[in-house]
Amino acid sequence: MTAALARWQPEFTVDRAALRARFEDASRGLTDNAFRTAPGVRRIFISGFDPFGLDAEIRRANPSGSAALQLNGRRVTLADGSPAEIRAVVLPVRYADFDAGTVERAFAPHLTAGPAAADIITTVSQGYPGIFTLEDWAGRARSADPYPDNARALSGGTREHPVTAPGLGPGPEFIRTTLPADAVTAAVQTPYPVLLNSDVTEIPAGGTAPVDRTDGPTPGSRAVAGGGGGYLSNEVAYRSNRLRAELAPNLPGGHLHTPVLTGLPADPQVLTGPEFERNESAITAEVRAVLEHAAVPR
């Protein structure tokens, strides 16, 4: 669609950049995505991601984006029997969009009073093979080079020399999840285990070299990577929860990593297959189960 917009030759003047921006926002769920107002219905807002690396494998999917699309607008029943509604946005895997504030634009309406206000927020991305992880900590830095984004751009940061993303408001080096991790990990373990991941990478206070830790950051350290690494998975968690801490500090929020979506047929000409689709459905169902336990009022 963006290619078609670029080729379009109307007989009147058009602001192509503004047109593309409007299309991006509408197609991703950044506009007209308010909750249906209904008394007693909990409101859950989540984000997922586009697939990444499609130039290497056109069949590649991202189960976080798939889950966001399938769950958007769904009414669900929480673990305590109360009703809830899910709204979702699908974000691009592009540093430039993050620099321009797309995460803050996506989440701000759901963190302020009004028809779009949420009771809980959760960012979601694809993580590790065979497991779900609730990320305990999100770090402020980018450190993912030499891995590019979908525009083949680099972050500018490495483990030895992390950088702070442009456009970030004031905040701590690390932000901790406020999702009810114990309740979720105790209740949701099938078909994939759900684990709390407290791994971080930091440069300790007074130090110069990165240190990997399994028990969270130490006082005064500089962030290198959160549980989501030093890439956009970590950054979406940091940006959304930095904003949550500023606008709605009592709201639960955090980040969920899904398992890697596997099962593509060996024949590259076959676009999908039963195993791939079963795995995709199973991951989406478990994302829903996590949300149904995480969103119970506490």
Side-chain angles (χ1 to χ4, degrees):
M1 179 60 80
T2 54
L5 287 175
R7 292 191 300 266
W8 184 40
Q9 298 294 329
E11 296 180 357
F12 50 87
T13 302
V14 63
D15 184 335
R16 292 186 180 277
L19 183 64
R20 176 164 180 157
R22 288 181 63 186
F23 170 74
E24 283 269 351
D25 283 4
S27 65
R28 294 185 176 281
L30 271 75
T31 58
D32 297 326
N33 201 15
F35 293 94
R36 298 187 294 269
T37 53
V41 178
R42 295 277 286 175
R43 293 166 292 187
I44 305 168
F45 185 72
I46 68 172
S47 67
F49 271 113
D50 284 349
F52 51 92
L54 291 178
D55 49 352
E57 169 56 272
I58 194 62
R59 302 177 301 166
R60 187 169 290 154
N62 191 323
S64 70
S66 176
L69 290 170
Q70 292 185 64
L71 295 175
N72 183 47
R74 293 286 295 272
R75 285 281 181 92
V76 299
T77 302
L78 302 183
D80 67 348
S82 60
E85 180 183 346
I86 302 170
R87 288 287 172 178
V89 63
V90 179
L91 297 171
V93 187
R94 296 190 298 248
Y95 287 114
D97 294 74
F98 274 54
D99 295 347
T102 190
V103 175
E104 288 79 4
R105 290 193 300 108
F107 279 87
H110 302 284
L111 296 170
T112 53
D119 296 303
I120 180 174
I121 63 166
T122 307
T123 53
V124 187
S125 63
Q126 181 174 243
Y128 312 99
I131 60 171
F132 276 85
T133 54
L134 283 170
E135 302 304 334
D136 206 0
W137 298 93
R140 187 172 174 83
R142 289 176 177 172
S143 57
D145 292 354
Y147 301 105
D149 67 5
N150 273 353
R152 300 179 182 172
L154 296 173
S155 73
T158 65
R159 278 175 54 91
E160 290 71 26
H161 300 286
V163 298
T164 299
L168 272 182
E173 287 295 299
F174 290 96
I175 296 177
R176 194 168 199 175
T177 186
T178 54
L179 295 175
D182 289 345
V184 171
T185 56
V188 185
Q189 291 293 321
T190 304
Y192 302 96
V194 181
L195 309 176
L196 179 66
N197 179 27
S198 297
D199 293 355
V200 300
T201 303
E202 64 176 14
I203 298 176
T208 58
V211 176
D212 296 327
R213 299 184 60 88
T214 60
D215 55 353
T218 57
S221 67
R222 183 182 178 193
V224 176
Y231 196 50
L232 293 173
S233 287
N234 169 78
E235 189 170 326
V236 72
Y238 186 91
R239 284 182 178 270
S240 59
N241 283 282
R242 190 211 67 81
L243 193 65
R244 176 191 57 76
E246 177 184 310
L247 300 178
N250 296 321
L251 206 72
H255 185 79
L256 176 68
H257 264 125
T258 75
V260 174
L261 180 54
T262 59
L264 281 172
D267 183 351
Q269 300 303 311
V270 180
L271 298 182
T272 187
E275 181 185 357
F276 181 78
E277 295 182 6
R278 281 195 302 270
N279 292 342
E280 182 182 40
S281 296
I283 291 173
T284 294
E286 196 159 342
V287 170
R288 175 174 170 171
V290 168
L291 297 175
E292 288 170 351
H293 284 83
V296 171
R298 288 173 173 84

